[in-house]
Amino acid sequence: MAVNPERLRERREAAAPDLALTGPGTPMGRFLRRFWTPVCRAADLAAGHARPIRIMSENYTLYRGAGGAPHLVDYRCPHRGAQMHLGWVEGDAIRCVYHGWKFDGTGQCLEQPAEEPGFARKVRMRSYPAREHLGLIFGYFGDGDPPAFPPYPAPERDGLVENPVPPVIPCNYLQCFENSLDEVHVSFVHRQGGSHQGMYDLPDISAEETVWGMIRFGDRDGKRRVSLHYMPNCTRVIVPPMAGFDGAGGWRELYLNFVPIDDETSQWFIAYHVGVTGAAVAPYLEKRELYWQKLAAAGPAQDLARAVMAGRLAFADIRHPDLVRVQDVAVQAGQGAIADRDNERLGRSDTAIILWRRIVARELAALEAGRPLKRWLPAPPEVVPTLGF
Amino acid sequence: MAVNPERLRERREAAAPDLALTGPGTPMGRFLRRFWTPVCRAADLAAGHARPIRIMSENYTLYRGAGGAPHLVDYRCPHRGAQMHLGWVEGDAIRCVYHGWKFDGTGQCLEQPAEEPGFARKVRMRSYPAREHLGLIFGYFGDGDPPAFPPYPAPERDGLVENPVPPVIPCNYLQCFENSLDEVHVSFVHRQGGSHQGMYDLPDISAEETVWGMIRFGDRDGKRRVSLHYMPNCTRVIVPPMAGFDGAGGWRELYLNFVPIDDETSQWFIAYHVGVTGAAVAPYLEKRELYWQKLAAAGPAQDLARAVMAGRLAFADIRHPDLVRVQDVAVQAGQGAIADRDNERLGRSDTAIILWRRIVARELAALEAGRPLKRWLPAPPEVVPTLGF
Amino acid sequence: MAVNPERLRERREAAAPDLALTGPGTPMGRFLRRFWTPVCRAADLAAGHARPIRIMSENYTLYRGAGGAPHLVDYRCPHRGAQMHLGWVEGDAIRCVYHGWKFDGTGQCLEQPAEEPGFARKVRMRSYPAREHLGLIFGYFGDGDPPAFPPYPAPERDGLVENPVPPVIPCNYLQCFENSLDEVHVSFVHRQGGSHQGMYDLPDISAEETVWGMIRFGDRDGKRRVSLHYMPNCTRVIVPPMAGFDGAGGWRELYLNFVPIDDETSQWFIAYHVGVTGAAVAPYLEKRELYWQKLAAAGPAQDLARAVMAGRLAFADIRHPDLVRVQDVAVQAGQGAIADRDNERLGRSDTAIILWRRIVARELAALEAGRPLKRWLPAPPEVVPTLGF
């Protein structure tokens, strides 16, 4: 197993297992908290409702005021620790179910029905900025002011934006994100089922750091596929319709956010842009409805992925309308709850992964040393992913 | 968040996270083991049967001899560790299923069919006093002689005593017990469903230590609700009929014992006293039968509570014949497996909780220092809880 | 609890809790890895298929080449850690699903479609010898050359060899193996159901070390039952037909291998020899088919065992075609995930267990000290277990 010492050194530098750990106080956790993070589909939070969320190993309460504005506050009431989402939304405020303490969207306590007057104004919980973009609610969990919003541009072309149910994936977010940086996997993982026609030739991979993140190229016979990676965890890429979609809507643009729930679980918050307009919309929606019915009937792709990982099922045995999802989850979660990056053998096809790790490692080193970090700029809307063929 | 330093100091003293931990050797575990502890419904143990029980993180074998007497012995056979409840009860003795070693109710080995004569008399396992009261079997797991029995008086009025299935609650016993010390929660937690008509006005809470435990008062407009807390973990209180009971039997008296299974799981051993007599009994029993059928069909309240805690269901969506149970479990278990008492903001409505913690903290300090503990006396039967309106 | 000091010392020496721990680097793990270990039924691995296996807390990939030969290689691809069994078998090689790296049965990388030429020959994963015997696939996970194969002789009599589904048992392998050394348990554990007629009289137990392991005797009224224990974890014994078999095939010969999956889970790899020949075969196979249908309909014996261990069911309540399995699993797993051998009270009926522990403890001491270990010889095929009555 002789390895070129130069490459070995580069790999050691590239390997950064700490990038996987995002709990409070971890270097990567501190870094990710400096960006807007998707936390929920906008459609999953009706006005006047509250729900618990878990992001990077910390719990929060997300609620939407009567007027429609989303708010993010602490998970527990400061009184005796009841979960705030059990309570009621009243106007733009939320009231704890346990003893009726009421808080506004900034976390200030407004009422304590059974306590002495004057106690309420001394009590405050933390609140966190919350905004919406492309059908997703984003939160900001860092110190100081959040960066510019939105975190990445919307598509400029006409069409539909869709947000599928955000799947919970039984592994660390990083192996999911790194899979999205890895075009070569398509030629093998997704060959069965034939979803990615035209992409089974192996591309030459290259990548470049940009002012907003990283751009990645896959070159095949002079044709170039372009994918975007917005800092710190969103991949924008062209993908084929799901296996069960019968081609409706054609290849679409995917914004894929890989969000840590905790170190061993992640959630994918997704926005699709499907370029159908005018008369094409109605038949597309009909197809989509049928596909969704098939999908609901087929059960979660993650369950099948787990059976494959355990050896109880083989890919070849699976009929599922989102076979690509089954394949992706099995391969990524199959790397382990947190992939072992100390024993990798990276090669030239891993170029984009190596560059991304190097960028982040540089930023983490600056953060640790108290040096200024790179000031990421908003991405120009005209830089878009392309299929290249 | 400026707080009166005097109150802060008091709260710090009141806060005693160690009260939650009851495993062998812990201060609170040692204290609780000085009292009789409910371990099983009498009706759940037929003569000649054995079952495993787990109390304060330790396992035991409970069996009932052919003559009806309950016995508590070690969980495992001293030979090679088989579970004793797998074996057979023979008269007042129990025989291990693995190699037939037979023990009497004191733990003395009587027979070892495949061993040398004389070995049996050298082998003994531990046994623990066991008694019955109000439909419950109690055990004593402490050193030395147990205190007087019964641990608290039976109701003197005529009526029925009922023991519902003891629910297993997915959190520490202490937040359940403290909830029972907290009358204000009723005004909020149980408002939905309307079970507690007449109790939604906020009471003034006060509490006093007694020779048998603590008495608690909830004053509303000159009317006083009285609840009893027998040392160390039994609350006696007047409660409304369950939501699905259609009012049958009226408000009843509840003895509620909060028993740790381990530090993150507890079990409620309950005796209800329903004051129906004479001609009222038959129609009441009919209602009760219907209610029990509804309850069985509705599934465990704890399952619904878990869905609410996780944000998959809202209280408002739930129809369950014991809605109060769903509400109570969600709020209590929602405080976490073991509630964080270091970050509370207690107020005047928490008066009874503060006093109870102070009493126990004083006793634990004495126990640790080897000083004599308070000698709790039997409670007089005429001191009873009242509804007050 | 006065104990003869001499016996106490002997018991202390006999007690060897480390014998239960078999992870990599543990003394017992190192010892067991010096022998062939059953890992899978031959029938459960078709040509061209792969599956993950877990043996002694380590994961591997088992696959069968197109030509039928079994191969054992690492669990993960050395590139980026994908599970190898997700890939494809090609001829006698296996290809990773993630990026198409292809390895032969020795672990040598043959192809890396997206990498530079020359990288593949520098990459190798580990491989492990794999062989088949009596319907089971065996692997060798130790250093150096494996011992002679097969690890124990096949039956010489005519008849059928059967391999039931290998059950996963929720406890350490050692309490299962020790149960197989313990004939006295039959008189008690299996009395209910009446499976072992003729064996309920208590035997006198004795055991002797042999050049291939240990031979054990159970003497009753001048009749001797003989059982064999091949080093290190295979028991060969005569057993009655399962309760649901209606006696078909009569008492049969059982090879029972107790294989650690990890320290708290084990798997039994079993070969039965049923002495039916000629015209008796057809009616036997008919009975067997019916029995297998009953067994499939009855559900896993382990599930019932778990209910018994938790006190939710009693043995007397159970109707299951393999009641003996329910009884054995409940008793063995009921000793705990890893039985506590520090608090045993062993007696003369444990003679065989004590001798076996002593043999292994001696070998482990030699292994630790770097002294030569006993060189176990192949067992002569004519030494067979007998029922003795």
Side-chain angles (χ1 to χ4, degrees), chain A residues 49-52 75-83 85-88 95-101 113-117 119 122-124, chain B residues 1-2 7 11 178-179 182 184-185 188-189 192 202 308-311 315 330-332 334-336 343-350 353:
Chain A
H49 284 72
R51 49 187 298 167
Y75 181 57
R76 298 190 176 285
C77 179
H79 177 208
R80 281 185 47 223
Q83 296 169 302
H85 77 273
L86 299 185
W88 300 274
R95 189 184 290 280
C96 179
V97 73
Y98 209 0
H99 304 90
W101 291 20
E115 297 303 325
E116 290 163 22
F119 187 10
K122 298 177 194 161
V123 175
R124 172 186 282 281
Chain B
M1 293 217 290
R7 292 214 50 175
R11 275 177 210 152
E178 290 188 343
N179 185 73
D182 169 16
V184 171
H185 89 272
F188 297 94
V189 176
Q192 258 174 332
L202 293 176
V308 171
M309 288 160 58
F315 282 132
V331 169
Q332 295 165 38
Q335 291 175 288
N343 292 293
E344 296 172 318
R345 302 293 300 268
L346 300 184
R348 71 177 178 194
S349 68
D350 302 300
I353 292 171

Side-chain angles (χ1 to χ4, degrees), chain C residues 276-289:
Chain C
V276 290
T277 53
V281 170
Y284 169 78
L285 291 180
E286 209 171 307
K287 272 284 183 196
R288 192 178 74 176
E289 179 59 30

Side-chain angles (χ1 to χ4, degrees), chain C residues 21 31 76 88 106 148-149 160 306 333 363 380:
Chain C
L21 306 181
F31 182 69
R76 299 190 175 286
W88 299 274
T106 72
F149 194 89
L160 304 174
R306 258 185 263 255
E363 296 298 299

